[in-house]
Amino acid sequence: MSSTFESLGLSSATLTTLKQAGYEKPTPIQAQTITPALEGKDVIGCAATGTGKTAAFLLPIIERLSKQQKKGVRALILAPTRELALQIHEHAVRFGKPHHIKSVAIIGGVGMGAQKDGLSFSQVCIATPGRLLDHMNEGNVSLARIEVLVLDEADRMLDMGFKPQLTRILAKVPRERQTLLFSATMAG
Ligand code: AMP
């Protein structure tokens, strides 16, 4: 298995960002996930928080989106909680910056206005399911251009009763897409 970021197929801009962030070598989930995800494959990862799963899915997404500068929300990351969504968003801002890829966090408990603006100029949308549906219902976001879908902590989303919301969201995401699914447990 590869044990350096250099061997995983990442761009030099991303390698520089990783160095600045103090990431010296890939964690096991990163070493296993990044190359297949860069190749456009679907990935199911069994990984809890703290394993480095965020970078494992964000880095291939940023690389993919930066290859073609297109408008619209092109990557959707669904997470169970505001805290997790914000954490992912912070990483997405850091990793996306050198590639001019913008990210928006769509979470409850704060106003819709700034999020609506963010949706109009971001390529990466990191959302909790309920608030994303609110924006979909208001016509603030189209999911028709989604190329990559991430279900982060999928098991927890189901445990928290998000299945109906997920079903409604997934119905609007193109079938032809890359899907990356992360779960701490692999039952069901
Ligand atoms: P995560 O499991 O994605 O929430 O990551 C847990 C923490 O580890 C976060 O603070 C990351 O910034 C950090 N991290 C992720 N990958 C690496 C790495 N390869 N080297 C050092 N720190 C990392």
Side-chain angles (χ1 to χ4, degrees), residues 113-131:
Q115 295 180 355
K116 183 182 172 186
D117 290 346
L119 284 165
S120 70
F121 59 72
S122 298
Q123 295 84 43
V124 179
C125 171
I126 299 150
T128 50
R131 178 51 73 94

Side-chain angles (χ1 to χ4, degrees), residues 5 15 17-18 27 32-33 35-36 44 74 89 93 98 118 125 144 148 176 183 185:
F5 282 117
L15 293 174
T17 309
L18 289 170
T27 65
Q32 288 172 308
T33 304
T35 303
I44 295 184
R74 299 170 60 198
H89 173 64
V93 169
C125 171
V148 190
E176 202 174 305
S183 181
T185 57

Side-chain angles (χ1 to χ4, degrees), residues 85-152:
L86 281 177
Q87 226 171 286
I88 298 166
H89 173 64
E90 278 167 27
H91 282 78
V93 169
R94 172 187 259 174
F95 296 142
K97 200 165 187 189
H99 299 279
H100 310 289
I101 299 292
K102 298 216 158 53
S103 166
V104 62
I106 298 298
I107 57 172
V110 289
M112 301 269 286
Q115 295 180 355
K116 183 182 172 186
D117 290 346
L119 284 165
S120 70
F121 59 72
S122 298
Q123 295 84 43
V124 179
C125 171
I126 299 150
T128 50
R131 178 51 73 94
L132 179 63
L133 274 172
D134 292 342
H135 281 286
M136 288 166 65
N137 291 338
E138 304 243 321
N140 296 342
V141 60
S142 162
L143 304 185
R145 294 195 186 128
I146 298 291
E147 299 168 38
V148 190
L149 170 74
V150 179
L151 299 168
D152 194 17

Side-chain angles (χ1 to χ4, degrees), residues 43-55:
V43 172
I44 295 184
C46 197
T49 292
T51 56
K53 67 182 165 64
T54 312

